[in-house]
């Protein structure tokens, strides 16, 4: 049972309704995260605007998912892990082995993606105060200063979602259940 209201298109506050309707149309269902964020119209707006900005970074869609799944796993957000797993597998067609490794915070066979995942872990665990070695390893994999900051952007987006879901105890939508990680916190 969620601790915060999960709004629908019909119950969303007026200031959130257009964004909720748009999310429902884009997904074919209303992700419970959107229903929760609708309680705070500015939080929902921030999520959608920053999400769109994150989508314009120089990181590839797969690289952005590396950051999102890593953050959701480290932040114990079963909802976001399920949602980003579905996106990674069904829309981006990322290899299952890569996605599974991300869900376990294990090493990835792809050296560049592995460096990105390790750097993402360092950013999260060290609250941005990564070591010189962390940054050097990230750069050695072919990433640059712009992308170092874009990882921080991705982590900030994930943090909003992960923490909102933890606060609300957001249940995973049935459409996302097949992608849930049973080892992470999920709310019924």
């Amino acid at each position: 049972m969620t601790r915060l209201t999960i709004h629908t298109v019909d119950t969303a506050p007026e200031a959130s309704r257009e964004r909720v309707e748009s999310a429902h149309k884009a997904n074919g269902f209303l992700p419970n995260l959107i229903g929760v964020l609708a309680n705070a119209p500015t939080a929902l707006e921030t999520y959608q605007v920053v999400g769109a900005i994150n989508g314009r970074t120089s990181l590839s869609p797969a690289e952005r998912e590396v950051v999102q799944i890593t953050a959701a796993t480290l932040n114990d957000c079963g909802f976001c892990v399920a949602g980003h797993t579905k996106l990674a597998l069904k829309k981006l067609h990322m290899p299952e082995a890569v996605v599974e490794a991300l869900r376990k915070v294990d090493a990835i066979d792809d050296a560049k993606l592995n460096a990105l995942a390790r750097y993402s872990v360092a950013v999260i665990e060290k609250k941005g105060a990564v070591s010189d070695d962390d940054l050097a390893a990230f750069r050695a994999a072919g990433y640059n200063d712009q992308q170092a900051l874009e990882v921080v952007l991705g982590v900030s987006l994930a943090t909003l979602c992960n923490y909102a879901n933890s606060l609300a105890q957001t249940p995973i939508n049935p459409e996302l259940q097949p992608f849930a990680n049973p080892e992470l916190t999920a709310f019924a």
Side-chain angles (χ1 to χ4, degrees):
M1 185 74 167
T2 185
R3 297 193 299 181
L4 302 179
T5 301
I6 300 175
H7 285 285
T8 66
V9 170
D10 296 328
T11 67
E14 187 61 37
S16 295
R17 188 156 299 137
E18 186 176 327
R19 291 181 178 282
V20 169
E21 289 170 347
S22 176
H24 185 270
K25 184 177 178 180
N27 291 288
F29 70 99
L30 185 64
N32 287 335
L33 169 64
I34 302 298
V36 166
L37 290 175
N39 285 291
T42 54
L44 177 56
E45 179 183 9
T46 299
Y47 166 69
Q48 291 177 329
V49 169
V50 174
I53 291 167
N54 189 57
R56 297 192 328 253
T57 66
S58 66
L59 296 171
S60 72
E63 289 169 328
R64 290 192 298 269
E65 287 310 303
V66 167
V67 175
Q68 294 302 307
I69 295 171
T70 299
T73 300
L74 291 176
N75 287 327
D76 196 30
C77 183
F79 184 93
C80 289
V81 168
H84 286 284
T85 295
K86 179 180 181 183
L87 177 64
L89 293 174
K90 297 300 180 185
K91 185 175 180 183
L92 300 178
H93 307 289
M94 290 174 66
E96 286 185 33
V98 169
V99 175
E100 194 56 35
L102 290 169
R103 290 163 52 104
K104 294 178 179 178
V105 196
D106 284 345
I108 301 168
D109 287 339
D110 180 303
K112 188 169 185 183
L113 291 182
N114 190 60
L116 174 60
R118 302 288 65 84
Y119 179 73
S120 298
V121 168
V123 166
I124 294 162
E125 290 182 346
K126 298 174 182 178
K127 299 176 177 69
V130 299
S131 69
D132 290 343
D133 289 343
D134 293 328
L135 188 56
F138 182 70
R139 287 176 173 150
Y143 293 104
N144 59 38
D145 291 351
Q146 175 182 341
Q147 292 161 327
L149 291 168
E150 289 171 347
V151 170
V152 173
L153 171 63
V155 167
S156 70
L157 175 62
T159 301
L160 169 63
C161 303
N162 301 163
Y163 286 19
N165 284 323
S166 291
L167 169 65
Q169 296 183 352
T170 308
I172 299 171
N173 294 73
E175 296 86 350
L176 302 176
Q177 279 294 334
F179 305 95
N181 182 344
E183 296 177 18
L184 294 179
T185 301
F187 304 100

